[in-house]
Amino acid sequence: MDKWEMYMEIQQLIKKCFSKSKVAEKLGVSRSTVYRHLRRSPSEIAEWVESLQTRTEKLDPYKELILNWLGEHSDLSAAQVQDWLLEKYKDMKIGESIVRAYVRMLREEYHIAK
């Protein structure tokens, strides 16, 4: 469920008189997430969702390189991708979770099985 769908679902459940705790439980999110979505107006949510869609990823400049590596070695782990990036770009500072999420996204987008 994307952020806009989450916002809409929260709004609908609140209109159906579910408590905020029950909404959080039904959607599998924290109560603070429910409260955060309720504080935002629909226009704020729309702007926020649009900014998420146009935002570039930290690893986008290395996308083709990573895709080549995954194409050649489909069993390559995100940790190995990170190691190879750090070998090639000594000054790069990148967290493991960022690489893991980026590799997962590329695998889904380009249907690269592990």
Side-chain angles (χ1 to χ4, degrees):
M1 172 181 312
D2 70 17
K3 302 295 183 185
W4 180 251
E5 291 169 336
M6 172 81 65
Y7 173 79
M8 295 306 294
E9 189 68 24
I10 289 170
Q11 294 295 333
Q12 289 173 358
L13 290 171
I14 292 295
K15 284 180 184 173
K16 291 179 182 176
C17 297
F18 284 99
S19 70
K20 291 164 185 76
S21 295
K22 206 45 133 170
V23 170
E25 183 182 316
K26 283 181 162 294
L27 298 177
V29 298
S30 68
R31 282 187 322 222
S32 62
T33 298
V34 172
Y35 281 101
R36 189 172 48 250
H37 280 288
L38 289 173
R39 281 193 302 266
R40 293 184 173 141
S41 69
S43 62
E44 288 175 319
I45 289 289
E47 285 175 24
W48 179 58
V49 168
E50 186 178 325
S51 76
L52 290 176
Q53 292 169 347
T54 58
R55 178 171 68 180
T56 61
E57 297 290 334
K58 195 170 189 177
L59 290 173
D60 277 350
Y62 312 97
K63 182 177 183 175
E64 291 304 317
L65 177 62
I66 296 170
L67 280 172
N68 286 335
W69 288 343
L70 291 173
E72 291 174 21
H73 312 281
S74 63
D75 60 340
L76 196 62
S77 71
Q80 288 170 307
V81 169
Q82 182 180 11
D83 288 345
W84 289 8
L85 284 169
L86 293 174
E87 281 177 24
K88 192 167 181 69
Y89 304 98
K90 305 278 188 223
D91 295 335
M92 178 184 268
K93 296 199 184 323
I94 193 84
E96 182 182 333
S97 61
I98 291 173
V99 177
R100 195 176 329 114
Y102 195 76
V103 168
R104 184 180 323 113
M105 184 261 313
L106 289 178
R107 286 187 185 281
E108 289 173 6
E109 186 177 338
Y110 292 93
H111 308 289
I112 302 170
K114 189 164 185 183

